[in-house]
Amino acid sequence: QPYAKNLRLLPIAKSAAERGVPQNDRKKVPVGLHLARIEFLGRVVTCAPPAYWPEGAAASVAVKLTEEDILTQISTFLYTQGGHCRFGKVGGKFSVNVDFLEKHFTVDREAGVVFASLKARKEWEGARRVRFAEKSWNATRVISGKSYKDKMMRIKETYVSMKDFDKEKAPRYKQIKKAKVKPVSN
């Protein structure tokens, strides 16, 4: 409720509120208010204020946002996000497109990221290089089902003699349980 501080009750409603009468339990009926208009980069967003707002409340909402206000809000948001953020997040929050962001901020279209400053971009690129280097350095060959293969090898070593090791398979769990195979001493 960013505009709650701007709302003022009518004198009758104010005296009723001071007596403890709740202001929002009565049936909500539309009051004669103009629509709240917000102009944003040439687009006009129009919305009706809630029915229980007192007269004059729409005037406090009808604020014309300038381009400077939007740029200030976006840069503040980017700094709170660590100096960079994805296009979709910024565009969705502030209803701006990539061209607008490209005009006023540092942008990496390939990665889909907008930066608050050149310093933030360099920090992001450095962290990204480190991340990619760690991935390539630590990339070891992954053997799928390694623990299962190790278990089956132990079973085979226990139950299959070395001379038949290449020819015979490891016995199944059921065979071991019913004692159809005996451990061999190699």
Side-chain angles (χ1 to χ4, degrees), residues 95-150:
S95 300
V96 292
N97 57 16
V98 181
D99 299 327
F100 175 82
L101 291 171
E102 212 168 26
K103 205 184 301 178
H104 300 286
F105 294 99
T106 309
V107 165
D108 186 351
R109 273 191 182 253
E110 210 173 274
V113 180
V114 60
F115 302 96
S117 64
L118 283 171
K119 184 181 175 189
R121 181 180 183 144
K122 287 181 179 173
E123 285 176 9
W124 178 80
E125 286 173 344
R128 191 177 187 203
R129 276 194 299 274
V130 168
R131 218 171 33 246
F132 286 151
E134 279 179 355
K135 271 187 185 176
S136 64
W137 183 259
N138 296 332
T140 56
R141 190 168 167 259
V142 177
I143 301 168
S144 63
K146 187 176 182 330
S147 60
Y148 175 74
K149 289 176 182 174
D150 291 343

